[in-house]
């Protein structure tokens, strides 16, 4: 029952995602989380390094939509200067924001990747729809609200369970 929280791929950060490899495998779109995936939860704007990555995403042939559980202000202030489409107040792991994002990109579930830092929202939500899920390490864990802190506790339990079954082999890098 814990496999539903298991990402297809684990990397340290979005910068470690092998875009060319995923493109070769037929993926064309990225649904990405915002807080602690692209920037820290308290960082209002993209860093220069992230802007470069977003450009690379585009040049590699991918469409990208931000899907965030955070509110309209937070998500639009971040996304609008970058000209990126977004779904705010998404209520992940609900399926509807993922479907909406795929609709915005005009892509199907077998062409779409989900990237996020949380197993309970990003990974679970993506897995439910059969999307290729990528888990990144959270950028700034100290800046998280209480809802996320509870999810982190749940993640620890799930990782322990998966570990017992040999499915979560790596040491946790963030405590
Ligand atoms: Mg997040």
């Amino acid at each position: 029952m814990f496999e539903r929280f298991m990402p297809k791929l684990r990397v340290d950060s979005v910068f470690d995602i092998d875009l060319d490899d995923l493109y070769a495998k037929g993926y064309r779109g990225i649904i990405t989380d915002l807080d602690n995936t692209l920037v820290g939860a308290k960082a209002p704007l993209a860093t220069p390094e992230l802007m470069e990555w977003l450009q690379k995403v585009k040049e590699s042939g991918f469409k990208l939509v931000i899907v965030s559980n955070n509110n309209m202000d937070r998500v639009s202030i971040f996304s609008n200067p970058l000209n990126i489409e977004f779904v705010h107040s998404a209520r992940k792991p609900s399926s509807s924001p993922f479907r909406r994002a795929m609709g915005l990109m005009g892509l199907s579930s077998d062409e779409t990747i989900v990237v996020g830092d949380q197993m309970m929202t990003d990974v679970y939500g993506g897995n439910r729809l059969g999307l290729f899920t990528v888990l990144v390490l959270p950028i700034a864990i100290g800046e998280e609200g209480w809802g996320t802190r509870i999810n982190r506790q749940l993640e620890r339990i799930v990782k322990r369970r998966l570990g017992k079954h040999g499915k979560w082999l790596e040491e946790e890098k963030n405590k």
Side-chain angles (χ1 to χ4, degrees):
M1 72 170 281
F2 289 102
E3 275 75 9
R4 70 184 77 171
F5 303 112
M6 184 83 178
K8 299 281 183 301
L9 180 70
R10 280 186 285 154
V11 292
D12 285 356
S13 80
V14 292
F15 307 120
D16 300 306
I17 298 170
D18 189 340
L19 294 168
D20 294 336
D21 178 60
L22 290 170
Y23 189 90
K25 288 175 174 150
Y27 295 103
R28 295 294 180 267
I30 299 175
I31 293 174
T32 180
D33 176 51
L34 171 52
D35 292 332
N36 273 336
T37 296
L38 296 183
V39 292
K42 291 269 158 68
L45 299 171
T47 60
E49 191 185 16
L50 183 73
M51 286 193 230
E52 227 169 78
W53 181 77
L54 290 166
Q55 188 58 34
K56 199 174 136 206
V57 165
K58 210 184 210 175
E59 285 166 9
S60 303
F62 287 93
K63 292 176 178 172
L64 182 141
V65 174
I66 291 173
V67 173
S68 171
N69 285 356
N70 214 328
N71 61 44
M72 171 74 177
D73 275 1
R74 157 58 164 160
V75 186
S76 63
I77 286 168
F78 179 88
S79 307
N80 285 343
L82 303 166
N83 240 334
I84 293 176
E85 288 190 290
F86 60 86
V87 179
H88 66 87
S89 314
R91 298 181 177 274
K92 291 177 281 185
S94 162
S95 293
S96 58
F98 294 99
R99 288 217 180 87
R100 196 154 140 222
M102 285 190 277
L104 287 170
M105 296 188 290
L107 295 174
S108 63
S109 54
D110 54 3
E111 296 170 302
T112 305
I113 299 157
V114 174
V115 183
D117 69 301
Q118 287 199 63
M119 297 168 80
M120 302 296 143
T121 54
D122 307 307
V123 173
Y124 178 41
N127 282 347
R128 289 174 80 188
L129 289 170
L131 310 182
F132 186 89
T133 45
V134 181
L135 182 69
V136 300
L137 294 174
I139 291 172
I141 208 161
E143 297 176 349
E144 294 177 328
W146 63 269
T148 304
R149 282 166 201 261
I150 290 168
N151 281 337
R152 296 278 178 224
Q153 300 280 355
L154 294 172
E155 281 182 356
R156 253 171 245 140
I157 294 166
V158 170
K159 283 179 192 170
R160 222 175 292 139
R161 280 305 173 88
L162 289 167
K164 271 189 192 150
H165 296 94
K167 288 178 177 139
W168 197 276
L169 298 170
E170 254 177 45
E171 281 286 296
E172 248 190 283
K173 288 171 188 161
N174 265 24
K175 299 262 172 176

